[in-house]
Amino acid sequence: MSLVRFLPAWFHAIADYAVAALLIIVPLAAGGSSLAVATGVTVGIVIAVVSMLTRYPLGVVKVLPFTVHSAGDYLAAALLILAPVALSFTDTDGRLSAFYLGSGLAVLAVSLVTNYQYSPARTAQLPTVRSQHA
């Protein structure tokens, strides 16, 4: 479910893989408690796997409808926003907590403006413009 549907599926797919990579790399590079690092790495891996399974432009094994993928986006946003408090690492890992909060808000923002009605068949059937000089 989106508030505004102006972000196309291909851009959303790029954002998914970028967020997944950042959630894996940043915690490993920054360090911190094992729980704080594991949170980002785990959510990042799940986002990458779900993205690879989604029926959208950058999906690898396209089995998951993009509309179902949207539920995962909102779940990932909630996990990233709530995990530092729920897992009690806001005091010990403040920078990672802030990173997860920002990442969760970014995932939420992208989700709220994505057009989840992507269909490869619909995209393939777009009319083509023919030259009148042919």
Side-chain angles (χ1 to χ4, degrees):
M1 174 151 95
S2 300
L3 291 177
V4 182
R5 296 179 183 174
F6 73 84
L7 195 70
W10 65 266
F11 188 90
H12 183 102
I14 292 169
D16 281 339
Y17 287 109
V19 167
L22 286 172
L23 286 170
I24 295 167
I25 294 168
V26 169
L28 291 173
S33 69
S34 58
L35 186 58
V37 172
T39 297
V41 172
T42 302
V43 175
I45 290 170
V46 170
I47 289 172
V49 169
V50 168
S51 298
M52 287 185 232
L53 296 174
T54 299
R55 276 188 250 150
Y56 70 168
L58 296 180
V60 178
V61 180
K62 301 177 183 208
V63 294
L64 187 65
F66 194 28
T67 52
V68 173
H69 169 112
S70 70
D73 288 337
Y74 290 108
L75 178 60
L79 287 172
L80 289 167
I81 292 167
L82 298 174
V85 174
L87 299 175
S88 301
F89 60 80
T90 53
D91 293 335
T92 58
D93 297 283
R95 288 189 285 173
L96 277 181
S97 296
F99 173 69
Y100 296 151
L101 175 62
S103 298
L105 292 173
V107 169
L108 179 61
V110 166
S111 300
L112 289 171
V113 297
T114 293
N115 181 1
Y116 286 105
Q117 302 306 312
Y118 171 77
S119 167
R122 190 179 320 157
T123 304
Q125 294 175 1
L126 291 176
T128 57
V129 178
R130 294 184 189 192
S131 172
Q132 294 183 5
H133 301 294

